[in-house]
Amino acid sequence: MSDRTSARAPFGRRLLSAIGVDELGAYRVLRVADDGPGAEPGQFAMLAAAEDWGGGEEQRPFLARAFSFARQVRGEAHFLLEDVGPGTRRLCELDAGDGLWVVGPLGRGFSAPVAGRRAILLGGGVGIAPLAILQDQLTAAATTVLLGFRDGARAEGAALLDGARVASDDGSVGHHGRVTDLLAEELARDRNAIVYACGPAAMLESVRAMCAERDVPAQLALEAGMACGFGACFGCVVARRGGGYLRVCVDGPVLDAHELERVDEHAGAPV
Amino acid sequence: MSDRTSARAPFGRRLLSAIGVDELGAYRVLRVADDGPGAEPGQFAMLAAAEDWGGGEEQRPFLARAFSFARQVRGEAHFLLEDVGPGTRRLCELDAGDGLWVVGPLGRGFSAPVAGRRAILLGGGVGIAPLAILQDQLTAAATTVLLGFRDGARAEGAALLDGARVASDDGSVGHHGRVTDLLAEELARDRNAIVYACGPAAMLESVRAMCAERDVPAQLALEAGMACGFGACFGCVVARRGGGYLRVCVDGPVLDAHELERVDEHAGAPV
Amino acid sequence: MSVSFCGLELAHPIVNGSGTFDAIAAHAAFGEELLRDFPFAAYVSKTITLEPRAGNPPPRLWEASAGLINSIGLPNKGLDGYLRDDLPRLAELCSLARAGAGVPLVTNVMGASATELTRLVAACEARSEIAAIELNVSCPNVETGLDIGADPRQLEEVVRAVRPHTGKPLIVKLTPNTADVALCAQAAEDAGADSVSLINTLRALALAPPTTRGGSDRAGGRSPGRAWLGGATGGLSGPAVRVVALAQVAAVAARVQIPVVGMGGVRSGADARELLDVGARLVAVGTESFLDPAAGGRIARELEAITRV
Amino acid sequence: MSVSFCGLELAHPIVNGSGTFDAIAAHAAFGEELLRDFPFAAYVSKTITLEPRAGNPPPRLWEASAGLINSIGLPNKGLDGYLRDDLPRLAELCSLARAGAGVPLVTNVMGASATELTRLVAACEARSEIAAIELNVSCPNVETGLDIGADPRQLEEVVRAVRPHTGKPLIVKLTPNTADVALCAQAAEDAGADSVSLINTLRALALAPPTTRGGSDRAGGRSPGRAWLGGATGGLSGPAVRVVALAQVAAVAARVQIPVVGMGGVRSGADARELLDVGARLVAVGTESFLDPAAGGRIARELEAITRV
Ligand SMILES: Cc1cc2nc3c(=O)[nH]c(=O)nc-3n(C[C@H](O)[C@H](O)[C@H](O)COP(=O)(O)OP(=O)(O)OC[C@H]3O[C@@H](n4cnc5c(N)ncnc54)[C@H](O)[C@@H]3O)c2cc1C
Ligand SMILES: Cc1cc2nc3c(=O)[nH]c(=O)nc-3n(C[C@H](O)[C@H](O)[C@H](O)COP(=O)(O)OP(=O)(O)OC[C@H]3O[C@@H](n4cnc5c(N)ncnc54)[C@H](O)[C@@H]3O)c2cc1C
Ligand SMILES: Cc1cc2nc3c(=O)[nH]c(=O)nc-3n(C[C@H](O)[C@H](O)[C@H](O)COP(=O)(O)O)c2cc1C
Ligand SMILES: Cc1cc2nc3c(=O)[nH]c(=O)nc-3n(C[C@H](O)[C@H](O)[C@H](O)COP(=O)(O)O)c2cc1C
Ligand code: FES
Ligand code: FES
């Protein structure tokens, strides 16, 4: 994991093939045979099925879809999928050997924790994906993992990381309430930490606010509707503190909490 | 088989399911579980796959596609398919149990042979489809079957009918030449016949001309690009003798040769 | 979901787009089921002209990405033929539609000039079977239709000339091939139109594929840029145009007071809901009926289900 | 497949559509491979305005049927920022592109008036890095861009005013949201334009989905007809508009003598071939680059393969 210089993507989309799609509670883990460059934790790829992408009543999906690298192991890239629409649905239905158009790794990932600070990995819903690959590479630093989910089926996603404290909105698993309650506890216990967060906009916004208040550094992995993923369309913006906009795909997806006034409602993972 | 009053289609598209797709040389036979009304020989249905219809680079197919009933047996409707584009390709890839949107049976079929006349069934390429179901129902009348194909792989389609004399453009099977050569022979031998023809436009045109010359009645099953299949779009027309146009989907697809000045280049089966 | 439109009480807001549903042919194909489950709350005839028209030479259709290009060329029997043969039959079918409840019959007419349109409208005025009249000033396949509809001034003149000749609801069908469709809608309203409908098809072009299915060239030798359609250019409809239609309908509904009939690429109740949400009073279904003759009814039911939520 | 365009010699006919490829960002993402396999034979900058613009608030994108609606709002650093920061960097990248062979740099500018446009053009004239200038009079997201471009008279005035201020090739990018685009092209030619380019995006609207992925309503309670895009209406691009673009490019190429840059929904060499066949000199690729940053190069190769046949 580097300091804000991230892995470079091969130019042009690559045709890779799916190894398989495994269930993980309410989520799916898509495994892709990927001989490409290693991804920085927090980087993403634009994915589209090579066959049967679009059509039907909606005549969608048309564009590729953005997904965080959840893990990279021996020539495999793993992506954590939540079926929220036609694109994710199609990707969840990929069979072993099916072709996949891939552009990436793209964007700027998480940066290394300041020495001596505990790394708190805080994820909500499918937003836990980039924290898994982050944990894989944070071997050195002491880490605390806090994950929040809507319900029990989604909470099974926690298996993607080691030693997670879990919260669920419906109380079916772990703490009955928000994962940010757990963050409050942890920071109350020891503030000498850096927070790496990814999840719904509302969650990211309270993480931003809490960390600002307690003056704890925080890196937020944002989301935004994307057409290209490499800075071409200027479509994926969020408001930057002090005016103007940032392109989530090239200025992020990981942004330092200080770069934002607040986290826009559109800038988070599927709720 | 009636006299120009054809079977009526249920109103609205029906969701049927594919039983399977069998190879028949260069063609495929799509078998569909169909509890609908019996089709008249020459009638057709508009078909579209319920899933994965469209999308991809071309963002096609969008409309349903027209196919002649090739056979109906115990709750099964059979269609003979030739892969000539995205729609036929998708239909050729249907798996057992896959859903299919079906509108039909549509159009006006062949009419019964005048008593005492021999029925000559003349087909070219995938145009042999409606002749199979016609033969099934022509039990009474004496019939002669003449089929022409581009090559050997296509000529295997002849198995769809009984006792066919075959011609092939490349000479790989049967008569080396055009199926209309065989028609000339047959009519030279005995003109007391009625010709039922379906195939490429050029073939239908020479059948029309030959029969007109020899004043042998002929019924031609035409094709045309169709959007609806039930007379709604006025898109499927061919020029009518004496001016104006006929809608192939409702005035045909089977037309009496006399209704046409000539067979338009767009009015035949895939070449 | 019943709705009133220019004094007509409709069972639901879904009607057909002119020229996309031939009730006579559909009845022949589908029989009584069509009448029992008639998909539209009002029936709109295809465009009628003063003189008979054979329409454009084939091919008349091209499948585009998520859409259809047509160049039909308004084939019709002409005013006299329509009044003599088709109108009585259509009126009968409309009276039997929806299991006898009946649906109003709208006749769509097009003329090359105010004079022609006036004759057409006056003739419709005289026929009690006709509940409302739609002026097609927007068909991209016919020069005049385009010109009149695209220019607010000309459009206003024509509608003013026609208006006095009928007391029936007068719907002006606008062309989408214009810089500011709201201006055209405004002109129609100022001239006394009771409603505007849109969108008609977007001008589009399809070229003959260099090679046909057999690999042999239909045209005999590559002829670059050769138009596929017998009518050369055509009109694009279907899902591809839906969001363009939505923008135009929203702009028009925001501008005029008269009810708007919105159409363009509607495939579902959700699509219809969007047109209503931006201000349309009725929604017309065209191309989707080609994929499913019963689409109008399905869309009306889906619409009711969403709306009840 | 080399082609000459307004005195520039291009290696092939494929360029990028303005605003659809940020060479600086792409170089940061893909590195030297981008320069080695640079997908375009000329590079067109995104639209530059006199003053800096932040662009429209998000969301800025909506996926339509076989297309994309955008409401970006022309974010840019303004003329001074462009000349100071971006132009030198873009010029450097263009000179290194195609393994050092280099590609000409076209700068696209937009102004709310002839005066603004004149200042922009004059400034570009003074910079040797700029090989040609494209006037954006067609952006549907910005009122003025639309108005100027849609009205042949206004368009002619503006181009006449601007023309004397540059000796560089002047390309006028036309709006497709007009009644007769050939008339606008004619006006541009009469006023001294060296080329016209089209189509820009079709005005389109997307509504916020009543419920979001979680089933909860983003807006808090159904708000019918609420626009999804921060800029309200947007512009449609991609395959959905291809046949509309083909019709407009054909109409324009038939009308004017100056070379035409055709674009709209091009995904393949076959699509590009069709635009060339109806009279375009160059073909621009926009939305397809989003699906594949290297699309331009692939399309150029496919085009060459078809054309050789
Ligand atoms: C950097 C980044 C990383 C991501 N990582 C992951 C990940 O690891 N795992 C994961 O599951 N997801 C991830 N996402 C989110 C994922 O990209 C989206 O869920 C996906 O694009 C949805 O596509 P869809 O077709 O399934 O759903 P869509 O139909 O695109 O709908 C998804 C949401 O978009 C909106 N929407 C609905 N219709 C449209 C439309 N026509 N046009 C535009 N927006 C519409 C609605 O809010 C809807 O809820 C990531 C996103 C980004 C930007
Ligand atoms: C009454 C009737 C009965 C038929 N019966 C049979 C049958 O039994 N078996 C069978 O295999 N076929 C039959 N056909 C033909 C069949 O409908 C067509 O082969 C099919 O529609 C082709 O669809 P596609 O998507 O595979 O190919 P398409 O892409 O539609 O191409 C097929 C041909 O259409 C033209 N074409 C190409 N692109 C387009 C486009 N974008 N829009 C419009 N035209 C285009 C070209 O000439 C091309 O060769 C019948 C047709 C009719 C009208
Ligand atoms: C095949 C076809 C024929 C049409 N004929 C007419 C017509 O005769 N008169 C008319 O006003 N509009 C006509 N239209 C336009 C439709 O009424 C409608 O405005 C347009 O198709 C957009 O709606 P849709 O996308 O739901 O089809 C026709 C459209 C199609 C596709
Ligand atoms: C996201 C996006 C941004 C665009 N920005 C500009 C722009 O800044 N200036 C301009 O003249 N055209 C702009 N366009 C229009 C394109 O250059 C092109 O004309 C249009 O997208 C049609 O081509 P396509 O279908 O290949 O994308 C933009 C298009 C898109 C999709
Ligand atoms: S997604 Fe296109 S600029 Fe970010
Ligand atoms: S296919 Fe529509 S009228 Fe024949």
Side-chain angles (χ1 to χ4, degrees), chain C residues 110-131:
Chain C
M110 178 175 111
S113 65
T115 335
E116 270 190 41
L117 279 165
T118 301
R119 282 181 55 196
L120 288 155
V121 166
C124 292
E125 173 64 13
R127 295 296 292 262
S128 59
E129 306 97 312
I130 297 173

Side-chain angles (χ1 to χ4, degrees), chain A residues 11 60 62-63 65 234, chain D residues 33 60 63 65 213 292:
Chain A
F11 180 54
R60 295 175 55 224
F62 162 59
L63 300 162
R65 301 296 197 248
F234 283 76
Chain D
E33 277 186 34
R60 290 179 171 183
E63 184 179 65
S65 295
R213 337 179 202 199
D292 177 6

Side-chain angles (χ1 to χ4, degrees), chain B residues 225-236 247-249:
Chain B
M226 291 186 173
C228 72
F230 58 94
C233 74
F234 283 75
C236 60
R247 281 174 287 180
V248 170
C249 69

Side-chain angles (χ1 to χ4, degrees), chain B residues 8-13 58-63 65 84 225-228 230-235 237 245 247 265-266 270-271, chain C residues 19-20 22 28-30 33-34 37 46 54 57-61 63 65-67 72 213-214 218 239 289-294:
Chain B
R8 228 163 222 174
F11 180 54
R13 65 181 183 184
E58 272 196 274
Q59 296 288 325
R60 296 176 53 226
F62 161 59
L63 300 162
R65 301 297 197 247
V84 299
M226 291 186 173
C228 72
F230 58 94
C233 74
F234 283 75
V237 299
Y245 295 102
R247 281 174 287 180
E265 58 162 339
H266 294 292
V271 189
Chain C
T20 65
D22 180 334
F30 305 114
E33 276 185 35
L34 168 72
D37 306 330
K46 68 179 146 76
R60 291 179 172 183
L61 302 171
E63 184 178 67
S65 296
I72 307 300
R213 337 178 203 199
R218 241 176 202 167
S289 295
F290 301 159
L291 285 82
D292 178 7

Side-chain angles (χ1 to χ4, degrees), chain D residues 207-231:
Chain D
L207 299 185
T211 58
T212 51
R213 337 179 202 199
S216 75
D217 183 344
R218 238 174 206 171
R222 202 166 180 298
S223 49
R226 186 171 59 96
W228 167 263
L229 298 168

Side-chain angles (χ1 to χ4, degrees), chain B residues 126-139:
Chain B
V126 75
I128 67 173
L131 303 181
I133 182 170
L134 176 61
Q135 185 178 47
D136 293 346
Q137 299 194 21
L138 273 182
T139 43

